[in-house]
Amino acid sequence: MTFENILLETKNHITTITVNRPSKLNALNTATIKELHIAIKTANDDIDTKVILLTGSGEKAFVAGADISEFASYSVKEGKKLSSQGHETLFNYLANLSTPVIAVINGFALGGGLELAMAAHFRIASDNAKMGLPEVSLGVIPGYGGTQRLPQLVGKGRAMEMIMTGGMIDANQALNYGLVNYVTTYEDLMPLAEKLAEKIMKNSTVAIASAIRAINANYKDGVNGFATEIEEFGNSFGTSDFKEGTAAFLEKRKADFPGK
């Protein structure tokens, strides 16, 4: 498929998905959300892809929010539909993906952009990055998971402050909050992302997908995360990766996981 707003590249088992709307600071519109879904699904379905890197084009922005001009005149019904479809098509879909996703924040990550980064499995940032959820300054609230994922990552009090003030925090403050795992220079950002991806790829893709399901279960209403862990742990014993991993350990050699 040919994308208008997305760049897609796979190299050495790493698929890099780049939001490519630099003139709009990579802002999310409906078309871009749909393209992101297709790109992420394509990467997830590709047996050659073991890690996905999600980033923005240029040096200014990861994704600087949603395209406000698109929904400024929406009704209540249309607003609810916009949020619901966004969750289903992209944000929840990304959070529950079986392939690990690293958000590589290379500049502004605001509003829907920060919500996109928070839906990834973890985040790294360049030292020029700025993050925030400024929606209340427009008379609306974060609608793509921001009110749920931000408290999970930084705690309720800090999330309340960030959302109520609508202010931005810099990369080092985001690191202190636990919102991002690492901060580095812009030049070293992608090499760091690739290094982390290479570490991940040494392990069982089957076990990683299982771990993602178990971790996410703890954040779902009515789901016992411990019970999910027990189920996923037990299921691991029936995989070829488990047999190879344990055999390699006992034989003191590097595991060659078949991925099944």
Side-chain angles (χ1 to χ4, degrees), residues 107-160:
F108 289 108
L110 304 174
L114 181 56
E115 289 173 304
L116 180 64
M118 290 192 294
H121 297 127
F122 65 93
R123 292 143 294 284
I124 65 173
S126 56
D127 52 16
N128 67 316
K130 304 278 189 183
M131 288 158 249
L133 295 174
E135 284 87 347
V136 295
S137 67
L138 300 173
V140 70
I141 70 168
Y144 288 144
T147 64
Q148 306 304 300
R149 292 192 176 99
L150 187 62
Q152 291 169 3
L153 291 166
V154 307
K156 181 179 178 181
R158 283 171 172 163
M160 284 284 195

Side-chain angles (χ1 to χ4, degrees), residues 14 190-200:
I14 302 170
M190 194 54 70
L192 173 59
E194 291 169 353
K195 182 178 179 182
L196 289 166
E198 287 165 4
K199 287 184 177 182
I200 291 170

Side-chain angles (χ1 to χ4, degrees), residues 34 76 89 94 108 132 162 238 240:
K34 289 179 181 177
V76 170
T89 302
L94 177 62
F108 289 108
M162 285 181 65
S240 298

Side-chain angles (χ1 to χ4, degrees), residues 12 39 55 73 106 120 122 127 133 167 174 182 205 211 230 239 257-258:
N12 298 328
T55 193
S73 61
N106 56 308
F122 65 93
D127 52 16
L133 295 174
Y182 299 95
T205 55
I230 291 168
T239 68
F257 293 110

Side-chain angles (χ1 to χ4, degrees), residues 8-109:
L8 187 67
E9 179 186 19
T10 301
K11 184 179 179 182
N12 298 328
H13 303 293
I14 302 170
T15 293
T16 302
I17 299 172
T18 306
V19 181
N20 186 37
R21 300 183 75 212
S23 64
K24 299 286 187 180
L25 293 178
N26 303 323
L28 293 179
N29 59 5
T30 303
T32 305
I33 287 174
K34 289 179 181 177
E35 287 192 7
L36 275 168
H37 170 81
I38 295 167
I40 292 164
K41 185 177 188 304
T42 299
N44 191 54
D45 292 343
D46 179 10
I47 58 172
D48 191 49
T49 295
K50 299 193 177 188
V51 178
I52 297 170
L53 305 181
L54 184 58
T55 193
S57 63
E59 299 182 14
K60 292 183 178 180
F62 169 74
V63 172
D67 197 332
I68 297 165
S69 62
E70 200 172 56
F71 60 78
S73 61
Y74 272 19
S75 66
V76 170
K77 183 177 180 180
E78 288 171 323
K80 289 179 180 179
K81 184 177 178 181
L82 178 71
S83 178
S84 176
Q85 287 184 339
H87 279 282
E88 181 179 355
T89 302
L90 181 57
F91 297 87
N92 287 348
Y93 180 77
L94 177 62
N96 292 293
L97 206 71
S98 58
T99 303
V101 182
I102 305 172
V104 184
I105 304 173
N106 56 308
F108 289 108

